[in-house]
Amino acid sequence: MVKAVVLFSGGLDSLLAIAILRQQDIEVLALSIATPFNDVSKRRKELKELAKKLGANFRVVKAGREYVELVKNPKFGYGRWLNPCIDCKIYMLKKAKEIKEREGYDLIATGEVLGQRPMSQNFGALKRIEKESNLKGKLLRPLSALRLPPTLPEKTGIVDKSRLLGLIGRVRKPQLKMATELGLSGFSTPSGGCLLTDPNFSKRLKDLFSWKTKVTINDIELLKVG
């Protein structure tokens, strides 16, 4: 059986990416990366249930202090606030790649949609993310695959390209329609659980970075309080 690691945020797009692969009888590991800035740890039970609905296994990998350093000095810069979306995706894909190679999975996939986010999901950014995570030509994006160059999983036939999608842009009606057809609910809104997209928290974090050289996970937890 073909096995895939799918980055799983608990959002609609990553759920649908899992669903598309499961429809091809591909075994899926829904992999959530818990950072100090998202709500994965708090939603662990809920995320596990969402993955279970689609017949996927579920796992959480916790990001360490190195992730804080990534946020402090991102190679590819920030979004509107203190969100280093490109660097973050690269980090998560590298974690997925470690699991793929260590445990013998066949491919890695994400729920990214071409053109949905101006910074991290334009064509150039998608290719950059592939290259920097050492997955050039190998990273499958089931929701937009028909709009992108074919990947190795498609070329080798372990994934049926004709059953993938060609979504593009920020309109989410097709995804919501699919969710209704699959009976999916309880998914999070886009970027809804990331504190780095919150302007007030970002200002506090930026101030902390300005005066403390080595910011710890505990510092981040205290910053959430006030």
Side-chain angles (χ1 to χ4, degrees):
M1 177 180 282
V2 177
K3 300 194 301 179
V5 181
V6 181
L7 287 186
F8 180 49
S9 65
L12 176 55
D13 293 336
S14 57
L15 269 173
L16 293 179
I18 291 171
I20 290 168
L21 296 182
R22 290 293 300 131
Q23 287 171 352
Q24 297 194 29
D25 293 322
I26 294 172
E27 182 180 319
V28 171
L29 172 64
L31 178 66
S32 293
I33 310 296
T35 79
F37 308 103
N38 66 26
D39 58 0
V40 166
S41 294
K42 292 180 181 178
R43 297 180 64 211
R44 183 187 292 257
K45 184 177 179 181
E46 176 190 346
L47 294 174
K48 185 176 181 179
E49 285 302 311
L50 283 170
K52 187 178 178 181
K53 281 183 182 180
L54 295 172
N57 299 314
F58 176 71
R59 188 183 306 177
V60 172
V61 170
K62 195 169 184 178
R65 189 181 170 279
E66 76 277 10
Y67 188 83
V68 178
E69 288 300 311
L70 178 155
V71 174
K72 188 175 182 181
N73 297 294
K75 182 177 179 179
F76 297 103
Y78 299 110
R80 186 175 182 185
W81 301 108
L82 222 61
N83 49 312
C85 296
I86 293 177
D87 293 82
C88 178
K89 184 67 71 174
I90 292 165
Y91 176 91
M92 292 183 176
L93 284 169
K94 285 181 176 179
K95 293 295 182 184
K97 188 171 183 287
E98 289 174 7
I99 291 172
K100 173 186 177 292
E101 293 176 349
R102 184 173 65 243
E103 300 181 23
Y105 283 82
D106 300 290
L107 66 108
I108 297 173
T110 73
E112 293 165 296
V113 173
L114 178 62
Q116 188 177 94
R117 295 180 185 175
M119 177 186 176
S120 62
Q121 292 184 15
N122 62 71
F123 186 81
L126 293 181
K127 303 317 289 182
R128 188 175 301 118
I129 288 167
E130 282 184 26
K131 181 180 177 182
E132 293 290 327
S133 56
N134 295 317
L135 290 168
K136 187 175 180 179
K138 300 175 183 177
L139 178 59
L140 183 67
R141 296 173 168 108
L143 298 182
S144 289
L146 300 183
R147 302 270 187 171
L148 297 168
T151 60
L152 187 62
E154 296 162 78
K155 291 177 180 177
T156 57
I158 63 172
V159 172
D160 183 351
K161 186 178 178 71
S162 68
R163 298 174 70 183
L164 304 178
L165 305 183
L167 301 184
I168 188 170
R170 308 188 75 171
V171 177
R172 295 175 62 79
K173 287 183 180 179
Q175 290 98 309
L176 292 170
K177 182 181 178 182
M178 287 179 64
T180 300
E181 292 170 352
L182 292 168
L184 296 175
S185 61
F187 45 83
S188 61
T189 56
S191 298
C194 183
L195 279 173
L196 297 173
T197 61
D198 179 88
N200 293 318
F201 182 82
S202 293
K203 289 174 184 176
R204 296 203 300 272
L205 182 60
K206 186 176 181 180
D207 178 64
L208 178 62
F209 283 156
S210 72
W211 63 264
K212 188 165 186 181
T213 304
K214 291 187 177 181
V215 175
T216 66
I217 300 294
N218 192 51
D219 293 327
I220 301 298
E221 293 303 316
L222 288 171
L223 203 62
K224 295 175 186 178
V225 178

